[in-house]
């Protein structure tokens, strides 16, 4: 979900209705030929590289320090991580160049929307290309596939699961793009990740056990519990949650990608900390596997954020949100830190709980659960809809869209910091 109103292709006709009033919106009168012409003349606003440099510096500095200086990471493993980082950097620049090209193509196919949070202003009448998340997804897959040449051999134990992970992510990109084109209903959208996780679940050959928290060992009588097929069911449910949670915690310029890069940075920091504090080679490989998929995700997402930051030049569409959610679910599952991942997703969990009455149909759910834009003040005010965005506005008062997005991203970062603090204090006592 994003702060846009889609332009329906059904409203485009070659002849105007005589009964149609002259004040009808222009998009209801345009022919496909006119749309194609506008796509040729379209010029995308320059990427906001200064903003991206600041965000990348804030999010990546600690990770790079821990990887390169603080921990003594095995030389061969560090080499693989740095090669992956180099390929991810190339992916950043490729994504940056491909977005304007893809934007012209989607405009030709009448795939654009209007920014609802700017309704009543000149910016609210601008056609914004949408579904540009397909560019991020495709470049991510290319980077991840090329990386196999540098890291995996034919007899690698991780190669099957790596390709299964890419198959699940690719499947989710396809389903997300189908959703953008066909506008799939919410109830159908909720179960789509279930099908996308099938390649991962079928190829998963890791353990299906969980470590019982130490305070509960005396009551259960076991330190390790094998869940068997129930563990795979848990994996599937986690993927469904992560995929949809990014999608419903949205509606502001930069929020969808912003929360993704903040969580991705936390995942990278967590992985390198676990590698540095352990001597188990298998444990190292599990967390390195997570890094190999998270670095390309972060790099390509930052490139998209350069165009999606306020004021947004493009919309990412459901293609991006479900792709990002599935990727983080995959790295959490195969990296064996799903509990930590859920704490990183604390704002998304809170947003889901707030949204549950509307998603379940108990309370009426409008198509766009967005805040209300006040043209007089230029600020957003909260509505009664059950989203974290609206609740935040009701608690702290009206804010500009850019300010609100920054506040929510800071909250996301604080949730990730809380996770690290919690792990530190519970280490040795909880598990």
């Amino acid at each position: 979900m994003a702060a846009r109103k889609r332009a329906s292709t059904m409203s485009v006709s070659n002849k105007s209705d005589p009964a149609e009033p002259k004040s009808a919106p222009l998009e209801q009168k345009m022919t496909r030929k006119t749309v194609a012409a506008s796509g040729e003349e379209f010029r995308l606003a320059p990427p906001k590289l200064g903003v991206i440099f600041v965000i990348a510096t804030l999010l990546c500095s600690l990770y790079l320090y821990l990887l390169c200086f603080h921990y003594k990471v095995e030389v061969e493993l560090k080499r693989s991580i740095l090669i992956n980082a180099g390929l991810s950097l190339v992916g950043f620049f490729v994504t940056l160049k491909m977005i304007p090209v893809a934007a012209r193509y989607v405009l030709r196919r009448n795939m654009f929307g209007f920014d609802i949070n700017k309704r009543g202003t000149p910016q609210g009448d601008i056609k914004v290309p949408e579904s540009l998340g397909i560019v991020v997804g495709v470049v991510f897959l290319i980077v991840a596939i090329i990386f196999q040449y540098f890291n995996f051999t034919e007899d690698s134990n991780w190669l099957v699961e790596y390709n299964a992970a890419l198959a699940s992510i690719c499947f989710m990109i396809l389903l997300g793009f189908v959703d953008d084109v066909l506008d799939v209903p919410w109830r159908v959208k909720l179960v789509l990740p279930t099908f996308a996780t099938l390649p991962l679940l079928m190829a998963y050959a890791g353990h299906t056990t969980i470590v019982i928290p130490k305070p509960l060992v005396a009551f259960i009588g076991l330190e390790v519990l094998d869940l068997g097929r129930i563990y795979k069911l848990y994996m599937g449910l986690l993927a469904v949650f992560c995929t949809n949670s990014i999608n419903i915690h949205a509606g502001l310029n930069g929020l969808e990608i912003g929360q993704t890069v903040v969580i991705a940075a936390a995942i990278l920091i967590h992985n390198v900390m676990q590698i540095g504090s352990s001597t188990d080679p298998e444990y190292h490989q599990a967390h390195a596997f997570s890094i190999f998929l998270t670095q390309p995700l972060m790099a390509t997402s930052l490139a998209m954020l350069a165009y999606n930051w306020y004021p947004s030049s493009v919309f990412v569409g459901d293609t991006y949100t479900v792709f990002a959610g599935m990727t983080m679910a995959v790295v959490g599952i195969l990296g064996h830190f799903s509990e930590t991942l859920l704490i990183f997703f604390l704002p998304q969990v809170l947003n889901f709980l707030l949204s549950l009455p509307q998603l379940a149909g108990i309370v009426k759910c409008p198509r766009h659960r967005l805040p209300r834009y006040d043209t007089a003040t230029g600020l957003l005010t909260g509505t009664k809809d059950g989203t974290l965005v609206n609740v935040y506005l009701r608690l702290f008062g009206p804010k500009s869209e850019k300010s609100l997005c920054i506040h929510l991203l800071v909250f996301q970062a604080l949730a990730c910091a809380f996770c690290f603090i919690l792990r530190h204090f519970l280490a040795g006592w909880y598990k």
Side-chain angles (χ1 to χ4, degrees):
M1 189 183 84
R4 84 270 191 195
K5 179 180 180 181
R6 289 173 176 163
S8 172
T9 55
M10 297 299 293
S11 64
V12 180
S13 59
N14 290 327
K15 294 182 180 180
S16 59
D17 188 349
E20 184 179 10
K22 293 184 179 180
S23 61
L26 180 61
E27 69 272 16
Q28 293 181 355
K29 299 180 181 179
M30 291 191 309
T31 63
R32 287 190 180 275
K33 184 176 180 180
T34 305
V35 175
S38 66
E40 294 290 347
E41 300 168 0
F42 173 75
R43 292 292 182 272
L44 204 62
K48 305 168 186 69
L49 294 179
V51 175
I52 299 309
F53 177 77
V54 172
I55 294 174
T57 301
L58 290 173
L59 295 179
C60 298
S61 297
L62 179 58
Y63 164 67
L64 293 175
Y65 168 74
L66 294 175
L67 174 65
C68 299
F69 303 105
H70 187 74
Y71 291 114
K72 292 182 179 180
V73 181
E74 182 186 349
V75 175
E76 192 64 27
L77 183 58
K78 183 185 289 187
R79 173 181 170 274
S80 296
I81 293 173
L82 293 177
I83 289 174
N84 182 267
L87 290 173
S88 300
L89 186 61
V90 173
F92 170 85
F93 290 107
V94 172
T95 305
L96 210 59
K97 292 295 183 182
M98 288 302 299
I99 288 172
V101 177
R104 286 195 290 272
Y105 276 96
V106 297
L107 275 180
R108 290 174 190 171
R109 301 308 302 167
N110 205 33
M111 294 178 65
F112 62 86
F114 298 97
D115 200 326
I116 297 177
N117 287 336
K118 299 177 182 66
R119 182 183 292 167
T121 68
Q123 286 183 320
D125 296 327
I126 297 174
K127 297 169 191 172
V128 183
E130 62 178 344
S131 305
L132 268 298
I134 189 70
V135 177
V136 179
V138 170
V139 175
F140 168 88
L141 287 174
I142 292 173
V143 170
I145 291 169
I146 293 176
F147 176 67
Q148 293 186 63
Y149 174 78
F150 297 96
N151 190 68
F152 296 107
T153 58
E154 292 181 359
D155 59 346
S156 174
N157 294 331
W158 285 93
L159 186 58
V160 173
E161 291 189 355
Y162 187 83
N163 283 324
L166 293 185
S168 291
I169 294 169
C170 183
F171 200 170
M172 201 65 248
I173 293 171
L174 171 63
L175 293 176
F177 192 69
V178 168
D179 178 30
D180 279 334
V181 175
L182 302 181
D183 202 11
V184 177
W186 264 106
R187 287 171 179 78
V188 178
K189 191 183 303 185
L190 287 173
V191 299
L192 288 180
T194 306
F195 302 107
T197 56
L198 289 178
L200 178 64
L201 296 179
M202 295 303 103
Y204 182 76
H207 67 74
T208 57
T209 59
I210 59 171
V211 178
I212 303 298
K214 290 181 179 179
L216 300 179
V217 170
F219 299 98
I220 298 177
L222 295 171
E223 293 186 358
V224 177
L225 178 63
D226 189 356
L227 296 179
R229 294 182 179 179
I230 297 178
Y231 189 84
K232 289 194 173 184
L233 175 62
Y234 163 73
M235 289 166 54
L237 293 175
L238 179 65
V240 171
F241 169 75
C242 291
T243 303
N244 286 289
S245 64
I246 297 291
N247 195 31
I248 63 176
H249 184 40
L252 304 175
N253 290 173
L255 181 57
E256 297 97 323
I257 307 179
Q259 62 185 298
T260 299
V261 297
V262 171
I263 297 172
I267 290 173
L268 290 174
I269 293 170
H270 170 71
N271 283 320
V272 76
M273 288 175 67
Q274 296 306 303
I275 291 173
S277 60
S278 173
T279 57
D280 183 359
E282 188 69 18
Y283 195 68
H284 287 179
Q285 285 300 318
H287 286 282
F289 181 98
S290 174
I291 291 176
F292 296 153
L293 292 179
T294 306
Q295 288 186 151
L297 170 66
M298 188 164 188
T300 53
S301 295
L302 284 170
M304 175 62 80
L305 187 59
Y307 291 98
N308 187 244
W309 188 254
Y310 181 92
S312 179
S313 303
V314 300
F315 289 141
V316 297
D318 292 340
T319 306
Y320 176 83
T321 57
V322 296
F323 148 72
M326 177 59 74
T327 304
M328 289 188 285
V330 164
V331 301
I333 291 168
L334 296 182
H336 307 302
F337 58 93
S338 56
E339 291 177 345
T340 301
L341 182 67
L342 282 175
I343 303 177
F344 287 156
F345 270 75
L346 191 60
Q348 288 72 24
V349 172
L350 180 58
N351 184 67
F352 172 73
L353 295 175
L354 292 170
S355 302
L356 199 55
Q358 288 184 316
L359 297 178
I362 300 172
V363 179
K364 184 179 179 181
C365 183
R367 167 143 180 81
H368 297 291
R369 302 185 303 153
L370 298 173
R372 187 180 298 106
Y373 179 74
D374 188 343
T375 54
T377 62
L379 302 178
L380 297 176
T381 58
T383 65
K384 294 182 179 180
D385 291 315
T387 65
L388 185 58
V389 172
N390 284 304
V391 170
Y392 193 92
L393 287 171
R394 293 202 300 267
L395 289 175
F396 299 102
K399 299 188 181 302
S400 66
E401 183 176 1
K402 183 178 180 180
S403 174
L404 177 60
C405 182
I406 293 173
H407 280 226
L408 291 173
L409 294 183
V410 169
F411 178 55
Q412 184 77 62
L414 291 174
C416 294
F418 169 74
C419 178
F420 287 113
I421 294 171
L422 191 65
R423 285 182 59 90
H424 173 74
F425 282 106
L426 295 183
W429 176 78
Y430 181 68
K431 286 188 179 180

